[in-house]
Amino acid sequence: QPHRRRFNNFLNLSRWNAQAVLRMKACELLGALKPGKCEVIELIIDDSKKQKRGKHMDAVNWIHDPLTGRSIRGHQYVTATIRFRGHTIPFGIRLYIKKEDCRSLGQKFKKTTELAAELINEFEPPEDLLVRVLFDSYYLCPVVVKSCRKKGFWFVSTLKSNRNLYKNGRKLKAGGYGCHLLRHHRKRICRINKAKGHVKYSYVDASWLNVSDLGKLHVIFSRKNSESKVLGLVTDDPKLSSSQMIQAYDDRWSIEVFFKDSKQLLGLGQYQNVSLEAAVTHLHLVCFAYALLTHVAISREGAQGKRKSTARLSTAELQNEVRRI
């Protein structure tokens, strides 16, 4: 077996532009699906965190982990994936570096929202295709929204409960206003079919409202199954119906599956290299491994990526298929 220093040397030497090559591979996989005119491509933006125990690793700092509700020492990375015809294609990944670490590492400081906007600006879809950007409420900010509008992309996002809405000159809090609508107005039902049944959303359309700092957006409030939590959704797409907004929000879950499978099966966070370059290279190599599995899934369904009667394989099953090949 090669010594671990050989692996460290491989990760540290920059023989290639990992970001550019990953974008090229994403476009290649998208082209293999043969998208038709006016089809919709979903670009999903989200971030994930990984706790690191190394005391001398570059860019390791204290970050808040929403899953555990506590602060952890580790890395945070902003990721963009493409979802098309049920396939998830990695497009880009950026390691977030805190301001206090940028000077020592010789890097320019960029907020996570700026990294997300950078990924959106880099996406060049095939001609005559519609792009819908999906992200959560944290990225619903002027920086990200401006990037979407500059590129001519529509977006769908969740809405924080403390967000200010304006209707007929009145200022409303999104959380309280959503609860009021679901309590006193007639609700509609949207059912989304899943592999293990279906999910029911009850929702109320709040129409187009002024959202603080973002202008007029189409707002709906929904509740999943019998849960008490109210979820606000917004979009700037005038042709998107309320049920389509809920479906788009459901599609955003695919990036969570990407993070889960990449961490558990492909070793997304399993690196102990000291240098920043090695960590960035490792993250991109994991994205390439996932892209290989997506390539196998597309090839299995046929050149045009059309759905067949055979069930789609999970990430673990695709790994076994690669080993068999």
Side-chain angles (χ1 to χ4, degrees), residues 12 58-59 75 95 97 105 107 273-281:
N12 275 306
D58 290 342
H75 280 158
L95 186 63
I97 308 172
L105 295 172
Q107 300 289 325
N273 307 81
V274 173
S275 71
L276 175 69
E277 292 78 10
V280 171
T281 304

Side-chain angles (χ1 to χ4, degrees), residues 62-105:
W62 289 100
I63 49 179
H64 178 72
D65 185 10
L67 296 177
T68 59
R70 61 187 181 89
S71 294
I72 61 172
R73 287 192 80 253
H75 280 158
Q76 180 178 3
Y77 28 86
V78 181
T79 310
T81 61
I82 300 169
R83 180 174 172 83
F84 186 64
R85 293 182 188 164
H87 293 286
T88 298
I89 303 172
F91 174 75
I93 189 165
R94 298 288 188 277
L95 186 63
Y96 170 67
I97 308 172
K98 285 205 167 185
K99 198 170 186 178
E100 52 265 34
D101 296 327
C102 285
R103 181 174 296 179
S104 60
L105 295 172

Side-chain angles (χ1 to χ4, degrees), residues 23 26-27 30 41-44 80-84 86-92 123 254:
R23 291 197 299 269
C27 293
L30 189 58
I41 298 175
E42 293 175 332
L43 181 68
I44 308 175
T81 61
I82 300 169
R83 180 174 172 83
F84 186 64
H87 293 286
T88 298
I89 303 172
F91 174 75
F123 184 49
S254 65

Side-chain angles (χ1 to χ4, degrees), residues 5-223:
R5 290 181 181 175
R6 296 293 299 274
F7 291 108
N8 186 60
N9 182 61
F10 168 75
L11 292 173
N12 275 306
L13 294 180
S14 299
R15 301 179 179 88
W16 54 308
N17 187 333
Q19 297 178 4
V21 179
L22 184 59
R23 291 197 299 269
M24 291 170 60
K25 176 54 64 178
C27 293
E28 180 184 320
L29 291 173
L30 189 58
L33 288 167
K34 296 290 192 295
K37 188 176 181 180
C38 295
E39 283 196 82
V40 177
I41 298 175
E42 293 175 332
L43 181 68
I44 308 175
I45 305 289
D46 204 357
D47 62 79
S48 185
K49 302 168 181 68
K50 181 65 178 179
Q51 188 170 5
K52 308 303 295 182
R53 292 181 295 175
K55 296 182 179 180
H56 303 289
M57 294 179 68
D58 290 342
V60 170
N61 216 316
W62 289 100
I63 49 179
H64 178 72
D65 185 10
L67 296 177
T68 59
R70 61 187 181 89
S71 294
I72 61 172
R73 287 192 80 253
H75 280 158
Q76 180 178 3
Y77 28 86
V78 181
T79 310
T81 61
I82 300 169
R83 180 174 172 83
F84 186 64
R85 293 182 188 164
H87 293 286
T88 298
I89 303 172
F91 174 75
I93 189 165
R94 298 288 188 277
L95 186 63
Y96 170 67
I97 308 172
K98 285 205 167 185
K99 198 170 186 178
E100 52 265 34
D101 296 327
C102 285
R103 181 174 296 179
S104 60
L105 295 172
Q107 300 289 325
K108 181 182 177 182
F109 173 68
K110 294 179 181 178
K111 298 179 180 179
T112 51
T113 51
E114 292 174 330
L115 294 175
E118 188 178 274
L119 290 168
I120 294 171
N121 290 330
E122 290 175 355
F123 184 49
E124 297 293 340
E127 292 184 3
D128 301 323
L129 290 181
L130 304 176
V131 178
R132 186 181 298 145
V133 186
L134 311 179
F135 43 82
D136 61 17
S137 57
Y138 177 78
Y139 292 99
L140 185 64
C141 64
V143 175
V144 177
V145 170
K146 184 179 178 181
S147 294
C148 292
R149 290 170 176 168
K150 181 181 178 181
K151 296 286 291 186
F153 301 159
W154 305 115
F155 69 84
V156 177
S157 173
T158 53
L159 194 66
K160 281 187 178 180
S161 59
N162 62 348
R163 198 76 188 234
N164 290 329
L165 307 177
Y166 298 90
K167 181 179 181 180
N168 300 327
R170 291 185 301 148
K171 185 170 76 170
L172 308 166
K173 290 293 182 182
Y177 184 56
C179 290
H180 171 79
L181 290 181
L182 286 168
R183 191 181 299 117
H184 298 287
H185 287 69
R186 184 179 178 182
K187 296 180 284 293
R188 297 182 180 181
I189 302 298
C190 174
R191 287 183 173 85
I192 299 177
N193 294 322
K194 300 280 188 178
K196 298 181 180 179
H198 68 271
V199 179
K200 184 182 76 172
Y201 286 90
S202 54
Y203 68 90
V204 175
D205 192 337
S207 190
W208 289 77
L209 301 174
N210 282 311
V211 181
S212 58
D213 302 325
L214 302 175
K216 271 200 168 186
L217 299 175
H218 185 192
V219 183
I220 69 167
F221 294 98
S222 65
R223 183 178 282 130

Side-chain angles (χ1 to χ4, degrees), residues 42 44 83 134 246-255:
E42 293 175 332
I44 308 175
R83 180 174 172 83
L134 311 179
I246 294 174
Q247 179 65 61
Y249 166 74
D250 188 74
D251 289 344
R252 198 194 71 83
W253 184 252
S254 65
I255 197 169

Side-chain angles (χ1 to χ4, degrees), residues 246-314:
I246 294 174
Q247 179 65 61
Y249 166 74
D250 188 74
D251 289 344
R252 198 194 71 83
W253 184 252
S254 65
I255 197 169
E256 302 292 350
V257 178
F258 166 79
F259 285 134
K260 175 179 175 289
D261 290 344
S262 297
K263 288 178 178 179
Q264 294 183 358
L265 301 174
L266 303 178
L268 184 63
Q270 295 174 9
Y271 54 89
Q272 298 297 330
N273 307 81
V274 173
S275 71
L276 175 69
E277 292 78 10
V280 171
T281 304
H282 177 92
L283 293 173
H284 281 84
L285 288 174
V286 172
C287 288
F288 275 108
Y290 198 98
L292 172 63
L293 300 181
T294 302
H295 166 75
V296 172
I298 293 172
S299 302
R300 187 173 177 269
E301 292 187 1
Q304 294 186 0
K306 293 182 178 179
R307 300 192 179 204
K308 296 183 178 180
S309 57
T310 56
R312 286 187 170 172
L313 300 180
S314 66

